[in-house]
Amino acid sequence: MSSVEQNLVEGNKAYAEKFTQGNLALPPSQKYVVVTCMDARIDPAAAFNIPLGAAHIIRNAGGSAREAFRSLVISQQLLGTTDVLIIKHTGCGMLTFDNATARGVVAKNKGDAVAEEVKDLDFLTFPELEQAVKDDVQFLKSKKVEEGVQVSGWVYEVETGKVRKVE
Amino acid sequence: MSSVEQNLVEGNKAYAEKFTQGNLALPPSQKYVVVTCMDARIDPAAAFNIPLGAAHIIRNAGGSAREAFRSLVISQQLLGTTDVLIIKHTGCGMLTFDNATARGVVAKNKGDAVAEEVKDLDFLTFPELEQAVKDDVQFLKSKKVEEGVQVSGWVYEVETGKVRKVE
């Protein structure tokens, strides 16, 4: 077993020994969903004050609401959530490259044959943080299935731990 | 401001006041990435023993590695992660419906015109939990860009807080 797997098994053993919340319901008790980045420096439960069982948390590279659309429809239509918080963050890797750069890195790391495998992949990078938040808010507001859902956009500062509203 | 937004602002204020980890690096310090579900009953940092800054965490409905592929390529090729843990869970909503059911719920909630908007959406549901974990592990292993990456598959039990290895 790798050190990563050992860390999971040993840490989870300690968590499970103290675990007391095995009876929470499937639908989020506070009826909202957060879309944020996979970035290692973000702990949504702690930084955004989300108790266990309260909210769905969707995370991907950049906190893309476009990629999250499938999960959002499920969250809202099948599990009854009514609010969406889109929270992108300072220092995001997605601000530092574009599709051509990413494909070039794959070609350099793995060779041209492997790069071919990702040639049609849109990495969903963005050049400007606050505009990216606004674009994602507008993307959701443009969807008919999102009518009646409250959507807001935020920036989390990895340097300070502070969140601020953008839209 | 809604109660959901107030909870974020007030809880985050307390978090930021005690925040001391503003100098963490962008690349995950423990070089791994977790793919898990958006389910409200999962707190990956606590349950899977992930310190701030240590790992990328990708979450979507069902913990789909297929949908996570874009984020995984970024995590591995641009930010140097070498291990992937796919962790699905008991009691997952994705076990309880299929595409036809989901589209029917949208039609019932919002009307046929809105259901039309999601008619081509694959909700990526699965009928059997452990098989879904294995399928996602195999999906990643089938990708050339994932060669050299250590991929394992796990189930988290929302009833007990325990994780167990599937593959």
Side-chain angles (χ1 to χ4, degrees), chain A residues 14-161:
Chain A
Y15 179 78
E17 279 169 4
K18 295 183 178 175
F19 185 74
T20 59
Q21 293 179 281
N23 292 314
L24 294 170
L26 170 58
S29 62
Q30 292 181 23
K31 298 189 189 303
Y32 70 104
V33 51
V34 170
V35 179
T36 193
C37 187
M38 70 176 177
D39 193 286
R41 297 165 295 180
I42 305 173
D43 180 350
F48 309 148
N49 194 27
I50 309 172
L52 202 66
H56 284 141
I57 303 176
I58 301 168
R59 302 181 66 174
N60 60 48
S64 168
R66 287 173 190 270
E67 192 173 85
F69 182 61
R70 174 188 68 93
S71 297
L72 288 170
V73 171
I74 292 168
S75 177
Q76 294 153 357
Q77 298 301 317
L78 285 104
L79 291 163
T81 62
T82 57
D83 291 62
V84 180
L85 306 177
I86 298 169
I87 310 179
K88 297 184 192 281
H89 67 97
T90 57
C92 187
M94 307 303 283
L95 291 159
T96 66
F97 66 96
D98 59 15
N99 280 338
T101 308
R103 290 168 194 151
V105 170
V106 175
K108 190 180 165 218
N109 289 351
K110 309 287 284 185
D112 288 341
V114 174
E116 187 71 10
E117 197 178 54
V118 301
K119 76 175 180 352
D120 295 326
L121 197 59
D122 186 344
F123 289 89
L124 301 176
T125 64
F126 42 81
E128 207 280 312
L129 179 60
E130 300 208 356
Q131 189 58 49
V133 174
K134 292 176 187 173
D135 288 349
D136 268 12
V137 171
Q138 288 313 310
F139 168 77
L140 289 186
K141 288 187 174 175
S142 75
K143 292 289 187 181
K144 285 182 284 192
V145 73
E146 299 287 323
E147 274 179 20
V149 173
Q150 296 297 314
V151 184
S152 59
W154 306 72
V155 164
Y156 174 72
E157 299 175 350
V158 294
E159 302 83 5
T160 64

Side-chain angles (χ1 to χ4, degrees), chain B residues 64-104:
Chain B
S64 168
R66 287 171 190 271
E67 192 172 86
F69 182 62
R70 174 188 69 92
S71 298
L72 288 170
V73 172
I74 292 168
S75 177
Q76 293 154 356
Q77 298 301 317
L78 286 104
L79 292 163
T81 60
T82 57
D83 290 63
V84 180
L85 307 176
I86 298 169
I87 310 179
K88 298 185 192 279
H89 68 97
T90 56
C92 187
M94 306 303 282
L95 292 159
T96 66
F97 65 97
D98 60 16
N99 281 337
T101 308
R103 289 168 194 151

Side-chain angles (χ1 to χ4, degrees), chain B residues 19-162:
Chain B
F19 185 73
T20 59
Q21 294 180 279
N23 292 313
L24 294 170
L26 170 58
S29 62
Q30 291 181 23
K31 299 189 188 304
Y32 71 103
V33 51
V34 171
V35 179
T36 193
C37 187
M38 69 177 179
D39 193 286
R41 297 165 294 180
I42 304 172
D43 180 349
F48 309 148
N49 194 26
I50 309 172
L52 202 66
H56 284 140
I57 302 175
I58 301 168
R59 302 181 65 174
N60 60 48
S64 168
R66 287 171 190 271
E67 192 172 86
F69 182 62
R70 174 188 69 92
S71 298
L72 288 170
V73 172
I74 292 168
S75 177
Q76 293 154 356
Q77 298 301 317
L78 286 104
L79 292 163
T81 60
T82 57
D83 290 63
V84 180
L85 307 176
I86 298 169
I87 310 179
K88 298 185 192 279
H89 68 97
T90 56
C92 187
M94 306 303 282
L95 292 159
T96 66
F97 65 97
D98 60 16
N99 281 337
T101 308
R103 289 168 194 151
V105 170
V106 175
K108 188 179 167 216
N109 289 350
K110 310 286 285 184
D112 289 341
V114 174
E116 187 72 10
E117 197 178 52
V118 302
K119 78 175 181 347
D120 295 326
L121 197 59
D122 185 344
F123 289 90
L124 301 175
T125 62
F126 42 80
E128 207 281 310
L129 179 59
E130 301 207 357
Q131 189 59 48
V133 173
K134 291 176 187 173
D135 288 349
D136 268 13
V137 169
Q138 289 312 312
F139 169 78
L140 289 186
K141 288 187 173 174
S142 76
K143 292 288 188 181
K144 286 182 282 192
V145 73
E146 300 287 323
E147 275 177 19
V149 173
Q150 295 297 315
V151 184
S152 59
W154 305 73
V155 163
Y156 174 72
E157 299 175 350
V158 295
E159 302 84 4
T160 64
K162 289 180 186 169

